[in-house]
Amino acid sequence: MKMAYFSKRTLVLLLVLCVSAVESDIGVNWGTVSFHRMSPDTVVDLLKENKIGKVKLFDADPTALRALMGSGIEVMVGIPNDMLSLISNSPSASDLWVSQNVSRYMVKRGANIKYVAVGNEPFLTSYSGQFQSYILPALTNLQQSLAKANLAGMVKLVVPCNADAYESSLPSQGAFRPDLTQIITQLVSFLNSNGSPFVVNIYPFLSLYGNSDFPQDYAFFEGTTHSVIDEPNVYTNAFDGNLDTLVAALSKLGYPQMPIVIGEVGWPTDGALSANLSAARAFNQGLVKLVRSNKGTPLRPNVPPMDIYLFSLFDEGAKSVLPGNFERHWGIFSFDGQAKYSLNLGNGLLKNAKNVEYLPSRWCVANPTRDLTTVANHFKLACSYADCTTLSYGGSCNGIGEKGNISYAFNSYYQLQKQNAKSCEFDGLGMVTFLDPSIGDCRFLVGVTDGNNSLGFTLSGRRVIFLLISFWGYQMFVM
């Protein structure tokens, strides 16, 4: 039998060719910070119906993981930043976390957990380094815990990073922030040694939202009059420019072929002037088209990211609006699993969730027979609990008038309270109607009944990135 021998350079080339031959998979982030949650079983059915084979969680929600068992859907579970200190300092805590959140579900016909995300954007500038010292010890402990559970070869540890971890005015000059160089070098070495990819979150929308000089067409994929020239390469969209800035930064550390996964990317549909259905569809469909083409980027031709996780699967009406009202409107589906716009992820247009159980078709509106001059406090109360962000400037319900605003606030609160009759009183200013008060594109919701409606308020790093954008200047053209 004749043996074939290859030089190291030839083997690297063959590896790159093999990687480029594999089409990127498109998954979704499944966030659960919502007042109205569908049952996890219904969500998993929705994923399967739309042939979405990968999902990323921000924690290890047991109801979600139980629903995912036997589905075959590949899962990334997350460890919140506030758990990093404990896991980094306690191998036994690490063992317990792996046992309860990974091993428990990786049984016959169990969950297909492939990644554990250790923290979420822990190097974000606004965190002032508070999580940095925990990352490597946590990774070490968790790797040992996975090995004890005989899962080290099946489950990979990753650390989702925000794009502010690296910087440059041009992609080819990309470098990690000086304050991160040492820890990122150690992190990338760990990832490389264990066959893990580098996970990054990229948001052209935030660049546009936070910088009035950012050219709008550069945020999308249909061509631009504001191309970034980085000889000999030309960048026509922010996504490619950002990704190659990371590629250059990794190359400077000696890892030019490090696999990259896009942990979060997307476009909101409400809550800001540039956040609307048409813009979200244009961005996400353009992104899917780009990734499916296997075109890659100028610095990595024909090698697209390994995987891309769209942000997000659903709107999350209970999220903090500190970064902006758009924070609650990133979903490609509304809270009840209805596709918000036509989008083809590669398997046909999105299909709506089936068998969603709604509350009765009734709404709470302002009583037209009552004097509303004393309504201000009731309006504030309703919106302090419920989601009224669509009423804001640039929102889809911004133009429905004063009485419309009051009715929207009353109804949002009423649905949040499961249509409890007392929740529509407002000292006699509210009334229940069976006629849908929706106006044009402004939808008055009816709640769902088949979720546990438990709330979570984890504030991810991406959610405070707006604090940084205004200081970044021209580099945001490529970020």
Side-chain angles (χ1 to χ4, degrees):
M1 181 176 176
K2 185 177 290 186
M3 300 288 291
Y5 294 91
F6 301 98
S7 68
K8 185 175 181 180
R9 178 168 181 160
T10 302
L11 285 172
V12 170
L13 178 60
L14 288 172
L15 176 61
V16 172
L17 290 173
C18 289
V19 171
S20 66
V22 178
E23 187 176 76
S24 296
D25 280 331
I26 296 176
V28 292
N29 285 269
W30 178 0
T32 56
V33 189
S34 176
F35 293 123
H36 307 277
R37 292 177 60 179
M38 293 192 301
S39 74
D41 288 335
T42 303
V43 176
V44 172
D45 287 343
L46 177 65
L47 294 171
K48 290 162 66 176
E49 182 73 14
N50 285 283
K51 296 182 174 60
I52 297 174
K54 302 192 177 189
V55 67
K56 178 170 168 279
L57 308 177
F58 289 94
D59 50 23
D61 183 348
T63 61
L65 287 169
R66 283 195 295 267
L68 286 161
M69 293 178 73
S71 69
I73 295 171
E74 186 179 290
V75 184
M76 181 187 298
V77 297
I79 299 176
N81 290 337
D82 58 12
M83 290 187 65
L84 294 176
S85 175
L86 174 62
I87 291 177
S88 69
N89 287 298
S90 172
S92 61
S94 174
D95 291 344
L96 182 62
W97 191 92
V98 168
S99 174
Q100 291 183 340
N101 300 290
V102 182
S103 303
R104 171 183 295 181
Y105 302 102
M106 294 192 67
V107 295
K108 187 176 182 180
R109 291 187 293 275
N112 181 19
I113 299 175
K114 184 173 182 180
Y115 296 113
V116 172
V118 183
N120 188 43
E121 301 182 336
F123 306 126
L124 198 67
T125 304
S126 61
Y127 288 152
S128 301
Q130 70 180 99
F131 301 115
Q132 288 185 24
S133 63
Y134 304 141
I135 293 300
L136 290 170
L139 287 170
T140 299
N141 286 343
L142 287 164
Q143 188 67 31
Q144 292 173 352
S145 298
L146 289 172
K148 293 175 187 176
N150 295 317
L151 294 173
M154 301 170 60
V155 180
K156 302 300 181 182
L157 301 176
V158 296
V159 179
C161 294
N162 188 277
D164 87 326
Y166 47 90
E167 54 194 9
S168 175
S169 59
L170 292 173
S172 64
Q173 299 172 10
F176 289 102
R177 294 194 330 249
D179 61 302
L180 294 180
T181 300
Q182 181 177 357
I183 190 169
I184 291 289
T185 300
Q186 295 171 319
L187 169 62
V188 174
S189 175
F190 175 92
L191 298 175
N192 183 68
S193 297
N194 292 283
S196 298
F198 191 99
V199 178
V200 64
N201 302 337
I202 296 177
Y203 281 99
F205 169 80
L206 294 177
S207 301
L208 178 64
Y209 177 79
N211 185 345
S212 59
D213 294 326
F214 192 93
Q216 181 164 327
D217 57 2
Y218 188 65
F220 296 89
F221 302 94
E222 301 304 318
T224 178
T225 57
H226 302 85
S227 297
V228 171
I229 310 299
D230 186 9
E231 294 292 352
N233 299 316
V234 177
Y235 291 86
T236 60
N237 67 80
F239 179 82
D240 280 352
N242 188 309
L243 188 53
D244 268 1
T245 304
L246 172 59
V247 170
L250 289 169
S251 296
K252 283 183 173 64
L253 299 184
Y255 298 92
Q257 306 301 334
M258 168 68 68
I260 295 173
V261 167
I262 308 300
E264 298 177 28
V265 61
W267 200 278
T269 58
D270 215 326
L273 284 176
S274 51
N276 53 68
L277 294 173
S278 59
R281 183 191 180 281
F283 179 84
N284 283 330
Q285 196 63 74
L287 175 68
V288 171
K289 181 180 178 181
L290 175 68
V291 171
R292 293 295 193 198
S293 72
N294 286 330
K295 180 181 178 181
T297 64
L299 294 186
R300 280 194 179 177
N302 305 314
V303 184
M306 281 177 58
D307 298 313
I308 287 183
Y309 293 87
L310 293 179
F311 192 89
S312 184
L313 183 59
F314 299 119
D315 284 349
E316 296 177 82
K319 284 170 63 176
S320 168
V321 294
L322 181 64
N325 289 324
F326 57 83
E327 269 302 298
R328 296 178 174 177
H329 304 282
W330 290 92
I332 57 176
F333 292 94
S334 54
F335 73 94
D336 55 352
Q338 307 305 295
K340 290 159 70 174
Y341 46 87
S342 297
L343 180 65
N344 187 341
L345 300 181
N347 300 297
L349 296 179
L350 293 180
K351 299 176 183 178
N352 295 332
K354 297 178 180 178
N355 304 316
V356 179
E357 297 181 20
Y358 292 92
L359 296 170
S361 295
R362 57 190 180 213
W363 299 260
C364 179
V365 297
N367 190 330
T369 67
R370 299 298 299 271
D371 180 0
L372 298 176
T373 55
T374 61
V375 78
N377 287 335
H378 296 294
F379 180 88
K380 291 179 182 177
L381 174 68
C383 289
S384 68
Y385 287 95
D387 177 28
C388 298
T389 53
T390 58
L391 298 175
S392 61
Y393 179 64
S396 60
C397 297
N398 179 243
I400 62 176
E402 182 180 1
K403 288 186 177 179
N405 289 345
I406 296 168
S407 292
Y408 188 93
F410 281 7
N411 183 64
S412 296
Y413 182 77
Y414 177 64
Q415 303 298 336
L416 175 62
Q417 299 299 325
K418 299 283 191 183
Q419 298 185 356
N420 183 297
K422 291 185 178 181
S423 67
C424 189
E425 290 181 354
F426 297 104
D427 288 339
L429 300 182
M431 61 172 281
V432 174
T433 179
F434 296 91
L435 298 176
D436 187 350
S438 298
I439 306 171
D441 292 332
C442 179
R443 177 190 177 195
F444 281 57
L445 64 86
V446 172
V448 295
T449 64
D450 58 347
N452 59 24
N453 288 294
S454 61
L455 297 179
F457 292 93
T458 300
L459 186 66
S460 78
R462 184 192 55 74
R463 297 179 179 117
V464 292
I465 185 63
F466 81 106
L467 295 172
L468 308 172
I469 293 175
S470 60
F471 300 101
W472 283 9
Y474 179 78
Q475 70 184 34
M476 290 306 298
F477 279 64
V478 298
M479 300 298 277

